[in-house]
Amino acid sequence: MEISGIISAIVIGLVIGALARLVLPGRQRIGVLWTIAVGIVAALIGTALAAALGVADTDGVDWLELLLQLALAAIGVTLLDRVKARA
């Protein structure tokens, strides 16, 4: 992964984290910074997973890669919310 790919994954991760909170029902007990962190990690993992599956480089928008990132971010936000709820 090149530096431009990492930077774009971070920028997309900011948006992905926010979208993950929007698609999840109810209130999440995690802060904005945790949401951003989960989004960035999900974007990086989603990009690597999409590259491994061969769907990262397509003509136009990489919808499958974005869906992978969003799903991973939603899972991450849910898991972190449950951990915070127990604490």
Side-chain angles (χ1 to χ4, degrees):
M1 182 180 293
E2 298 177 4
I3 190 70
S4 62
I6 293 171
I7 292 172
S8 64
I10 290 171
V11 172
I12 290 172
L14 298 172
V15 176
I16 292 294
L19 287 175
R21 285 187 72 148
L22 288 175
V23 298
L24 293 172
R27 178 181 160 99
Q28 291 82 35
R29 294 171 288 271
I30 63 172
V32 173
L33 293 178
W34 279 113
T35 302
I36 291 170
V38 168
I40 291 171
V41 170
L44 291 170
I45 294 171
T47 298
L49 186 59
L53 294 173
V55 296
D57 294 322
T58 60
D59 294 333
V61 179
D62 297 327
W63 293 109
L64 291 175
E65 182 177 359
L66 288 172
L67 286 174
L68 280 171
Q69 292 171 339
L70 182 58
L72 289 171
I75 291 168
V77 167
T78 301
L79 291 175
L80 188 60
D81 180 50
R82 292 189 183 191
V83 167
K84 290 283 222 174
R86 289 184 193 158

